[in-house]
Amino acid sequence: MVFHVMTLFPEMVEQGLHTSILGRAMDAGIIGVKTVNIRDYSEDKHRHVDDYPYGGGAGMVMAADPIARCFEDLTSGMTKKPRVVYLTPWGKVFNQQMAKDFAAEEDLVFLCGHYEGVDERVLEEIVTDYVSIGDYVLSGGELPAMVMIDAIARMVPGVLTNEESGETESFMNGLLEYPQYTRPEVWRDRPVPEVLLSGHHAKIAEWRMQRSIDRTLAFRPELMENVELDKKSAKYLRSLQNPTE
Ligand code: 6GU
């Protein structure tokens, strides 16, 4: 899968994604990240890509034409029209399901805006998906694009090893992660929960499931609405709700 990022800050995106799991996946050729500098498509002698807003007001607006020509160049070799994500606080809020859906694409294009926005007409022409990463305002689309690329890449087959596999992590079964411990066995008078030292795999699995449920109820109770619990988990949840039964 190839992520194409249209941005005014290509170094920022490249630097941020070449580490750890994504760096390994890129070296293995499973994913690619290609950045293009929108400024290279300016026809202005000063390489300007922004201009004053019609109707007045503060700030500058990114002009349609450099973005359109950047996009046309980027997609000229593609046989199929790619999905194009515009990062914006007014988009649909990104989640794990969207990460899985996007991971099925062969090519995915991100348009990172800056200044006060982007000329609406180029958005109408090229954008297929408007996406936000949460209800707060950032200075540009680069950090959100990097967040999305990390989450999407992890869902591409072959990126995670079996050991790293997302299946047991937060959100994959709809519950939050259970607590983890490593050596030493006692740290500042705090022992590791006994069951984890027992070597009893079924008991450990049950303990982890119960701690996932506890944590989800404590931190994100609204997630509980959408989880499908197996028999044992459902029974544990009922035992919490009806402690006398
Ligand atoms: Cl996608 N862009 C910007 N500029 N700010 C954001 C965002 C996106 N998502 C949350 N805040």
Side-chain angles (χ1 to χ4, degrees), residues 42-99:
S42 169
E43 288 187 316
D44 181 296
K45 68 171 182 242
H46 300 293
R47 307 229 304 156
H48 287 148
V49 289
D50 58 331
D51 208 336
Y52 297 97
Y54 277 113
M60 301 291 273
V61 175
M62 285 173 73
D65 210 53
I67 293 171
R69 289 188 306 102
C70 178
F71 178 71
E72 281 148 16
D73 196 17
L74 177 72
T75 53
S76 62
M78 293 182 190
T79 49
K80 157 170 184 277
K81 269 196 176 181
R83 285 173 83 173
V84 180
V85 177
Y86 178 55
L87 291 315
T88 170
W90 44 264
K92 181 167 184 236
V93 178
F94 187 56
N95 62 29
Q96 191 68 42
Q97 185 56 51
M98 289 161 76

Side-chain angles (χ1 to χ4, degrees), residues 1-235:
M1 173 172 194
V2 180
F3 301 96
H4 305 266
V5 186
M6 300 195 285
T7 170
L8 291 172
F9 303 98
E11 339 66 56
M12 176 181 177
V13 176
E14 279 156 27
Q15 301 255 333
L17 293 173
H18 277 273
T19 51
S20 185
I21 292 175
L22 265 66
R24 185 185 66 200
M26 282 185 239
D27 292 342
I30 305 166
I31 59 163
V33 177
K34 293 186 179 174
T35 59
V36 275
N37 194 336
I38 296 167
R39 198 174 298 283
D40 291 343
Y41 295 86
S42 169
E43 288 187 316
D44 181 296
K45 68 171 182 242
H46 300 293
R47 307 229 304 156
H48 287 148
V49 289
D50 58 331
D51 208 336
Y52 297 97
Y54 277 113
M60 301 291 273
V61 175
M62 285 173 73
D65 210 53
I67 293 171
R69 289 188 306 102
C70 178
F71 178 71
E72 281 148 16
D73 196 17
L74 177 72
T75 53
S76 62
M78 293 182 190
T79 49
K80 157 170 184 277
K81 269 196 176 181
R83 285 173 83 173
V84 180
V85 177
Y86 178 55
L87 291 315
T88 170
W90 44 264
K92 181 167 184 236
V93 178
F94 187 56
N95 62 29
Q96 191 68 42
Q97 185 56 51
M98 289 161 76
K100 283 188 212 168
D101 293 343
F102 282 125
E105 301 295 318
E106 201 50 54
D107 291 282
L108 188 59
V109 180
F110 293 89
L111 171 58
C112 303
H114 256 267
Y115 310 106
E116 302 309 305
V118 171
D119 190 307
E120 190 71 16
R121 294 166 295 184
V122 73
L123 300 180
E124 290 168 4
E125 196 160 306
I126 71 172
V127 173
T128 59
D129 298 86
Y130 294 85
V131 183
S132 164
I133 62 161
D135 291 335
Y136 40 81
V137 176
L138 298 168
S139 311
E142 284 77 13
L143 288 170
M146 290 159 73
V147 165
M148 287 184 64
I149 290 168
D150 189 296
I152 295 164
R154 295 170 58 81
M155 296 297 105
V156 172
V159 168
L160 297 184
T161 63
N162 269 348
E163 235 168 57
E164 292 157 351
S165 166
E167 288 305 314
T168 60
E169 290 179 45
S170 290
F171 294 117
M172 295 305 293
N173 56 11
L175 294 172
L176 301 183
E177 268 173 275
Y178 47 79
Q180 297 275 22
Y181 302 84
T182 187
R183 290 194 293 179
E185 206 176 301
V186 180
W187 179 77
R188 299 191 179 173
D189 295 333
R190 300 164 186 266
V192 170
E194 187 95 37
V195 61
L196 299 180
L197 311 175
S198 70
H200 193 307
H201 297 298
K203 280 203 173 131
I204 291 170
E206 183 178 14
W207 181 89
R208 285 177 165 169
M209 172 275 287
Q210 294 179 347
R211 298 298 79 76
S212 279
I213 289 174
D214 295 346
R215 182 171 276 182
T216 306
L217 288 173
F219 287 84
R220 299 290 306 278
E222 77 281 8
L223 293 178
M224 222 61 207
E225 311 290 317
N226 302 313
V227 297
E228 282 192 31
L229 297 177
D230 60 25
K231 256 181 132 170
K232 253 195 161 156
S233 313
K235 189 172 173 202

